[in-house]
Amino acid sequence: MRFTDFGSRTVFAAFDGGEITSDAGILLLRDRAKQIGLFNRMAACFADHRDQKRVRHQLPTLLAQRVCGIAMGYEDINDHDSLRNDPAIKLLASPAKVSPVIPVPLAGKSTLNRLEQSREAGNPRYHQMVPNLKKLSNLFTDIFLDSHDAPPKEITLDIDATDIKAHGHQENSFFHGYYEERCFLPLYIFCGHHLLLAQLRPSNIDGARGSRNVIRRIIRIIRNRWPRVKILVRGDSGFARENLMRWCENNTVDYVFGLPRNDYLLKKAQKVRGKAAMTMIKTNEPVRAFGDFYHMTKSKSWTWPRRVIAKVEHKPGRSQQCRFLVTSLGRQAVSPKGLYEDIYCPRGDMENRIKDCQLDLFGDRMSAHDYRANQLRLILAGFAYVLIDSIRRETLQNTPLAKAVPNTIRLKLLKVAARVINSVRRIKISMPNAYPYKDLFFKAHAALAPP
């Protein structure tokens, strides 16, 4: 191809560069996954009914291809008809099935689609790789536990529900009045940056539905490994439910939840409300006041009185704003102000983690009709988050990408053009001299390289 001349020299172009990839950074994902044994552990959560003598693509390879594809920005299964021939992505294949000289192409869209669509009750001819969704969900917690060299003294579990827009009349998708659209209502649980649960749910249920069961399951796994760890469960007012709070109290688990405002609570908080109003009138400046009291619901739906924190904010020319929390933490443990500002407010960071999963790693792509297939897609997106986040935590500390979102890490660290040179004894990945983030790549490699 002839292009405009550059001075006295002619400019030509041709597609003869050899094996070139734009995804050389996938090697970092590959090595990190190998460190934690991610894809073999995921494969152990499947029942593979295929005739192993005829299998070309091992189950860990299929999972690596799908999860790393999501992490690299390829959310559609259709993308893999081309990606299967990418020289860097082909390195995800299981070594036993790789040519000694040239890595073979990976699976195409049809094989990956059978992986996602398989279910236990289906025709065994077409549903051969059946996932155990409960085991896959528990694997999030196991990876979280393995990431600690020693048990921490205390941990905080953040729980929240959000919406995922449906792409049609899919199984268990319903119209939700709050979100004003047909959607699903997934439940997420995080411990700091660690994802512990990504569970798809129908949207015609209460937002706290099933929260006690998943909290109980996760805490049981944690306490089997860390029997003495103190656990705090934190959530918004949608999770201030009697069954969840009573279970926490009966199992020595602390909690702090938002509490919906009503006239009964406003009346009980009259003392702190009056104090805030008087201080605002005297100073003519914004005032924030805190107080607490023990509260029993008027309908007697609570088993016993519980401690309620009241936060009152009053600004000149504006009406009072009151917010309430319910907690199992006593007055001797923490003051009302400390509980609200230092313990409850950091819960907002969980919203950023959900955005990481849904916006940057396509956790909102629930385009299959089958409900179990969509649940598996949500879990696979969750494991893509686990990979990206573990690289961020383990290798990018004290760097400009220490707090970067997954999309930024993908663009700056993973999307690297390179030429792949295959020989009998080695595979060389030649990256460009002008790559601007060499130091970050070297730092990440040093932390992930095999011994």
Side-chain angles (χ1 to χ4, degrees), residues 154-180:
E154 56 185 30
I155 59 174
T156 299
L157 305 184
D158 288 310
I159 184 169
D160 200 4
T162 185
D163 70 306
I164 293 179
K165 185 178 180 180
H167 294 267
H169 290 265
Q170 295 143 295
E171 288 182 352
N172 290 329
S173 67
F174 300 93
F175 181 83
H176 197 287
Y178 179 80
Y179 297 108
E180 297 183 346

Side-chain angles (χ1 to χ4, degrees), residues 2 47 57 121 124 127 205 210 222 277 279 287 313 346 385 444:
R2 174 76 180 270
H57 306 289
H127 302 274
I205 61 172
I222 293 174
T279 305
V287 174
E313 194 166 356
Y385 169 83

Side-chain angles (χ1 to χ4, degrees), residues 92-105:
L92 296 173
S94 299
K97 295 294 181 180
V98 174
S99 164
V101 179
I102 301 176
V104 298

Side-chain angles (χ1 to χ4, degrees), residues 151-154 222-231:
K153 293 183 179 180
E154 56 185 30
I222 293 174
R223 283 187 166 165
N224 283 340
R225 296 269 294 272
W226 301 340
R228 297 182 180 179
V229 66
K230 294 182 179 179
I231 301 175

